[in-house]
Amino acid sequence: MRFADIIGQHNLKRKLAENIDRGRISHAQLFVGEAGAGSLPLAIAYAQYLNCQNRHDVDACGECPSCRQIAELAHPDLHFVFPVNKQGKKSGEVVLSQDFMPLWREIIAETGGYFTREQWFERLDLGKTLQGIISAKEADEIIRRLSFKSFESEYKIVIIWQAETMNDEAANKILKILEEPWDKTLFLLITERADRLLKTITSRTQEVAVGKIEPAALEAVATTVADPVQRQNMARLASGNLIEMRRLTTGEEDASRKESFDLFCRLMRLSYNDKHLELIEWADEVATLTREQQRSLLNHSARLLRESYMLHAGLGKISYLWGEEAAFCTKFAPFIGNQNVEFIMEEIERALRQINQNGNARIVFTHFALAVSKTINRLK
């Protein structure tokens, strides 16, 4: 994977390449950003550029043996670690990343490296409740692999995707390596939640902030959308996230948006009418959704709240709403103002954090629904 394959992120790609050219290669780097912003493909492209035998034009050549092997995710000096698990695992059974490399290569080939943790867990067929982790046994395997000499390249590189899924024992073992690194060994950690990593790990890594993708770059991806205004609207709704942009342009997001919109409308109507029992039933229904659907509901709710607040503030001309959403939010706008918009947004962010931390969904959404009801009900 070359830097040219990464969507947008032009300044960051140039900076990463220049650091290598100048010999400024930190032994441990932490790529922080959303999956849809390209943290994983950026890390792979960085590794390929570092080991490329014929760099030119601030990019890897894509043709040398090292580039071809990395493009196939089969380079002997490039190791991947990612959260894994499996249904029906026996007591004491060890499950490691290398057991799932065919699936890993498959999903990266299909998506270009732009996929969420939930999409990976679906590929692993973990169901609604089972979660993938990076275990202490995985850390032991990393140490074992790195104890060997490099096979072909100057650097041995370990890419740890979703580093926040390391359990405490694994994190502490990785920390010891970061404290006393081997020569010519590079760790590239990738996370969406740096706050969930040990502070001793983040303090020993050089952060690479992966920001949102530029709207123009997202618009350029939407080649199947002929209407330029529609492309612009989609890029804004995607909010710098290529995964969301793909869902919007392919129509995959339509069903999710409709489900989230219906649930949002019901929540606000029940809150306005002070229907506590029905609100608890609403929370029970949301608790049966997958984690990805729950996150989608909360993210769409935040978007609809922002748009409603803009309508309330008289900024409808720059609102990106149409159809049912526009009709509902126009009626709902009088009930979202300075008195409650920050409170509700904080509740949404709290619920997102708790869901990301695998909190009990029934408890999370019951609290969320009743908290929203109090502030909406007061404005009647």
Side-chain angles (χ1 to χ4, degrees), residues 1-32:
M1 186 173 295
R2 302 171 65 235
F3 284 129
D5 299 319
I6 311 300
I7 306 301
Q9 307 290 4
H10 302 296
N11 292 335
L12 179 55
K13 290 187 291 188
R14 184 173 61 254
K15 180 180 178 181
L16 290 172
E18 288 176 351
N19 284 345
I20 291 176
D21 292 340
R22 295 172 181 174
R24 297 175 180 174
I25 304 169
S26 174
H27 78 281
Q29 300 177 41
L30 181 64
F31 287 67
V32 182

Side-chain angles (χ1 to χ4, degrees), residues 260 263-268 271 279-280 282-283 286 294-295 297-302 305 340-355 360-376:
S260 295
L263 287 168
F264 175 81
C265 292
R266 281 175 51 201
L267 172 62
M268 296 307 164
S271 297
L279 282 168
I280 293 174
W282 178 92
V286 174
Q294 291 164 0
R295 271 186 279 268
L297 165 62
L298 291 167
N299 285 323
H300 282 306
S301 296
L305 278 170
N340 62 358
V341 66
E342 290 186 9
F343 173 82
I344 298 176
M345 289 299 293
E346 287 173 0
E347 289 298 323
I348 290 175
E349 291 170 1
R350 185 203 307 274
L352 271 171
R353 285 196 303 272
Q354 292 171 340
I355 291 301
N360 185 300
R362 189 168 185 268
I363 295 174
V364 170
F365 283 102
T366 298
H367 170 85
F368 173 69
L370 294 177
V372 170
S373 174
K374 290 180 181 179
T375 186
I376 296 295

Side-chain angles (χ1 to χ4, degrees), residues 224-236:
T224 59
V225 181
D227 185 353
V229 175
Q230 187 178 4
R231 285 201 303 271
Q232 185 181 38
N233 289 346
M234 286 180 172
R236 183 181 186 277

